[in-house]
Amino acid sequence: MTALPEHLPLVDAHCHLDENDLLLEILKNQQIPSIINCQTVDEYRKNRQKTKYLPFLHLSAGIHPWDAAVVSWEEMLPILAEAMIIGEIGMDSLWTDVALPIQEDVFRKQLDYASHAQKPVILHTKNQEQHIAEIIRDYPNRYLVHWYSADDFLTEFIDLDCYFTIGPSLHTDSAVRQVAETVPVNRLLMESDGLSAISWATGQQKTVTPQQYLSLQTDNLVKLSRLRQMEPLLLAEHMRSNLNHFISANHDKDAAD
């Protein structure tokens, strides 16, 4: 490979600000096209105000499966109407004890809304990969599978033409590496999931600094490019195009302002 450019253009196709403006400042200063997740009405309102004049930052909103028993459909519906992207939504039988029937009911309501509104969806699939692949067949749409890290059922999502984000555990998780090696390049994206997620994935005890964020995300991009036998800059450009295509059918960012 040729020498790396001084700054590779990054994307962060799924992240959480976690009530902390540090990541927002990084994304803003580096002009990194990103999708920022919002799980409550209050979080969406705050993040919308913070990103209002930053057209490369997009908001997603939805009832997370962990919140399926506490965030009501009625209170979230006006936010779903405003948001460009629905998510992250899905089902999880590993990291939450919320009953699966409750999760599925909320999940299906949001899928139905998103399909009719023609808004793309970000999926959370932990330990429910096969079931979710079956469910989303009933709701034609554009789907982004966030940080897929299961050993099985990847083909089902690829066959459904889903997009995939590679999470910050690429260096340590063989399942994530399998996704990185297998997903079509025109459906490939990267995410941080937020600074706390990077800390968790890399075993760091302290909050990731801006320089560490940029370094770790760049390292993941370079590793990903080697796995795909592509120049890093070319892959980075592909991912910026992929992100645009994922959100392309939506109204302009300012349409709801």
Side-chain angles (χ1 to χ4, degrees):
M1 288 190 177
T2 58
L4 295 178
E6 184 177 353
H7 297 291
L8 287 169
L10 298 171
V11 300
D12 197 337
H14 178 74
C15 64
H16 300 258
L17 297 186
D18 296 327
E19 300 293 329
N20 184 332
D21 285 346
L22 181 56
L23 177 56
L24 178 61
E25 289 304 308
I26 300 169
L27 301 177
K28 182 167 65 174
N29 292 339
Q30 299 295 321
Q31 296 194 17
I32 299 173
S34 306
I35 299 175
I36 297 170
N37 183 78
C38 308
Q39 293 178 210
T40 66
V41 172
D42 185 57
E43 184 178 25
Y44 179 84
R45 295 294 187 208
K46 288 179 179 178
N47 288 342
R48 182 184 172 199
Q49 190 63 33
K50 291 174 182 178
T51 62
K52 188 172 183 179
Y53 301 109
L54 300 170
F56 53 92
L57 299 182
H58 310 282
L59 301 184
S60 65
I63 303 174
H64 193 286
W66 300 354
D67 301 329
V70 294
V71 176
S72 76
W73 169 253
E74 290 75 18
E75 69 179 296
M76 202 64 177
L77 186 55
I79 300 306
L80 300 182
E82 289 187 26
M84 296 181 64
I85 302 150
I86 307 302
E88 68 189 273
I89 64 174
M91 297 178 67
D92 185 333
S93 56
L94 179 65
W95 290 330
T96 182
D97 58 3
V98 177
L100 287 174
I102 294 175
Q103 292 187 45
E104 183 170 343
D105 178 64
V106 172
F107 182 40
R108 284 184 178 273
K109 283 180 179 177
Q110 294 179 99
L111 290 175
D112 185 64
Y113 174 84
S115 180
H116 282 93
Q118 297 185 316
K119 296 185 177 188
V121 170
I122 298 175
L123 295 172
H124 176 110
T125 61
K126 202 62 182 176
N127 270 23
Q128 290 292 306
E129 289 81 9
Q130 184 178 24
H131 191 35
I132 287 174
E134 293 169 352
I135 288 173
I136 64 175
R137 292 179 187 277
D138 296 334
Y139 305 93
N141 208 336
R142 293 191 311 288
Y143 290 100
L144 188 161
V145 187
H146 135 65
W147 198 345
Y148 196 86
S149 57
D151 292 319
D152 302 311
F153 312 115
L154 176 60
T155 302
E156 282 85 336
F157 289 97
I158 292 175
D159 289 345
L160 289 166
D161 208 24
C162 294
Y163 293 78
F164 295 80
T165 50
I166 305 303
S169 60
L170 176 60
H171 289 272
T172 58
D173 190 330
S174 61
V176 173
R177 177 177 175 136
Q178 175 185 254
V179 177
E181 293 174 330
T182 307
V183 169
V185 170
N186 70 341
R187 292 294 181 265
L188 198 56
L189 289 159
M190 286 179 54
E191 68 162 277
S192 69
D193 205 22
L195 298 184
S196 59
I198 294 178
S199 296
W200 173 80
T202 59
Q204 297 193 56
Q205 301 300 312
K206 297 181 179 179
T207 302
V208 172
T209 67
Q211 190 55 46
Q212 287 172 322
Y213 170 90
L214 294 171
S215 176
L216 289 165
Q217 292 296 91
T218 300
D219 287 349
N220 271 350
L221 172 57
V222 172
K223 181 176 179 60
L224 184 56
S225 71
R226 288 171 178 159
L227 290 174
R228 302 311 295 253
Q229 298 184 325
M230 295 177 66
E231 292 294 336
L233 183 57
L234 178 60
L235 180 57
E237 291 170 348
H238 268 294
M239 288 195 289
R240 289 205 167 191
S241 176
N242 294 345
L243 185 62
N244 286 335
H245 287 153
F246 174 65
I247 64 175
S248 63
N250 295 281
H251 53 74
D252 288 340
K253 179 187 176 72
D254 293 332
D257 290 339

